Amino acid sequence: MYPDEFDYYEAATVSEAIDLLEEHAMAETELLAGGHSLLPAMKTGLSSPEVLIDIGGIEELHGVSVEDGTLVIGAMTTYSDLLDVEAAAEHAPAFTAAVEQVGDRQVRNRGTVGGNLAHADPASDLPGAAMASDVTLVTRGPDGERSVPAEEFFFGMYATDLGPSELVTRVEIPSAAGAVGTYAKKPSPSSGYAMVGVAALVEVDGGDVASARIGASGVMDHGVRLGPVEDALVGETLDEDTIEAAAGHATDDLDTAMMMDDLQASAEFRGRLLEVYTERALEEAMDRVSAPAAAD
């Protein structure tokens, strides 16, 4: 199918993008980043913007750096470009583990980190990983710059804290060097999106779990932290018994009546999948923690 007609603008700077958003505030306007979500929606008629603002050429939105112990990712950085930076896996192991499982090579070559998070698809891999990684999204609009923690950024399905004339400019991740990060995913057989995806960031000290952050996608209408799982891990030895017991708490803080329920999986089945994939993510973390000792 062909999309409806729209006006196209190409922004050269963030300020120009904001000006265009304000200028067309009364029209249905969309920002074009990687386009992997927006363009198919336009072709199928699910989205019909009157104005399209292309931000792909804004240089300041590209690139990855480490600044004062924080991994800084430009919003228009592609998944592949992020994975090519060696420091990314070192500083943000859970986040990059999720990025590695996004789509396929073609998608990762074109899709963008900021576009993924701003789109807020509940079945996307990154929202849960962002929560596990303590991500902060930096936005800019007419009133200046804001920093929004991932846990406050996602409101619901395709709904975020972004204002109508704001855009995400960068993603900041505090260094988790020394921790292990994993991502376990049950992909949809039709789309590859996450029916359930669980990201785990675990730090072990002296054999016991010193800290744990667990985030999940695909279960609710937005990414969630699994606090009861984290509480069950901290202070315990990271072994099979601890992991099994902790994973059993995966749905404790979730409103099961509001779980995603569709043709691919019922809410009840998703709850069970969440426990299973939480266990798998933690088992992989356990294996990575013990790997250096085994190598010796």
Side-chain angles (χ1 to χ4, degrees), residues 226-229 232 245-256 259 274-275:
L226 304 183
V229 176
H249 294 288
T251 63
D252 283 6
D253 265 1
L254 303 181
D255 184 350
T256 55
M259 279 188 180
L274 180 61
E275 294 180 6

Side-chain angles (χ1 to χ4, degrees), residues 175-284:
S175 177
V180 294
T182 63
Y183 182 66
K185 168 184 177 179
K186 170 63 175 175
S188 162
S190 60
S191 68
Y193 278 81
M195 290 173 61
V196 168
V198 179
L201 185 67
V202 180
E203 185 174 2
V204 175
D205 184 12
D208 294 336
V209 178
S211 66
R213 293 180 65 95
I214 316 296
S217 296
V219 184
M220 309 298 288
D221 64 357
H222 62 285
V224 292
R225 282 273 300 276
L226 304 183
V229 176
E230 298 170 356
D231 294 340
L233 289 169
V234 174
E236 303 292 332
T237 302
L238 190 64
D239 57 23
E240 292 182 357
D241 290 339
T242 296
I243 289 171
E244 183 179 3
H249 294 288
T251 63
D252 283 6
D253 265 1
L254 303 181
D255 184 350
T256 55
M258 298 300 292
M259 279 188 180
M260 299 284 286
D261 191 331
D262 53 35
L263 293 175
Q264 297 187 106
S266 66
E268 182 181 1
F269 184 52
R270 271 195 168 84
R272 178 56 184 148
L273 283 176
L274 180 61
E275 294 180 6
V276 170
Y277 280 84
T278 297
E279 189 169 348
R280 291 186 183 183
L282 292 171
E283 286 175 343
E284 184 179 348

Side-chain angles (χ1 to χ4, degrees), residues 1-22:
M1 295 178 63
Y2 293 99
D4 295 332
E5 290 187 359
F6 56 88
D7 293 332
Y8 173 86
Y9 298 90
E10 188 173 3
T13 65
V14 171
S15 296
E16 185 177 344
I18 294 170
D19 290 342
L20 286 166
L21 286 169
E22 288 198 286

Side-chain angles (χ1 to χ4, degrees), residues 22-214:
E22 288 198 286
E23 180 182 344
H24 300 282
M26 302 304 293
E28 185 175 346
T29 304
E30 293 281 3
L31 293 173
L32 176 62
H36 278 290
S37 298
L38 177 59
L39 296 183
M42 291 172 63
K43 289 181 177 180
T44 56
L46 294 175
S47 179
S48 186
E50 299 168 272
V51 176
L52 202 59
I53 302 172
D54 190 341
I55 58 174
I58 301 178
E59 186 175 350
E60 63 184 290
L61 298 183
H62 293 260
V64 182
S65 62
V66 178
E67 302 174 13
D68 297 325
T70 297
L71 185 72
V72 180
I73 307 166
M76 288 300 301
T77 302
T78 66
Y79 307 121
S80 293
D81 285 345
L82 175 63
L83 295 175
D84 284 342
V85 177
E86 187 174 339
E90 176 187 352
H91 289 272
F95 194 78
T96 53
V99 171
E100 288 173 349
Q101 295 194 44
V102 172
D104 53 25
R105 185 185 299 272
Q106 289 85 354
V107 170
R108 291 191 294 273
N109 284 343
R110 180 64 183 175
T112 66
V113 173
N116 182 301
L117 295 171
H119 185 56
D121 189 324
S124 175
D125 298 294
L126 298 194
M131 293 188 177
S133 302
D134 197 18
V135 160
T136 295
L137 294 99
V138 180
T139 73
R140 198 187 310 174
D143 297 325
E145 193 170 86
R146 295 190 302 136
S147 295
V148 186
E151 290 182 61
E152 299 174 14
F153 184 76
F154 302 103
F155 287 167
M157 188 176 296
Y158 309 117
T160 71
D161 188 51
L162 273 177
S165 297
E166 281 188 310
L167 67 157
V168 177
T169 58
R170 64 185 184 273
V171 173
E172 298 181 345
I173 308 179
S175 177
V180 294
T182 63
Y183 182 66
K185 168 184 177 179
K186 170 63 175 175
S188 162
S190 60
S191 68
Y193 278 81
M195 290 173 61
V196 168
V198 179
L201 185 67
V202 180
E203 185 174 2
V204 175
D205 184 12
D208 294 336
V209 178
S211 66
R213 293 180 65 95
I214 316 296

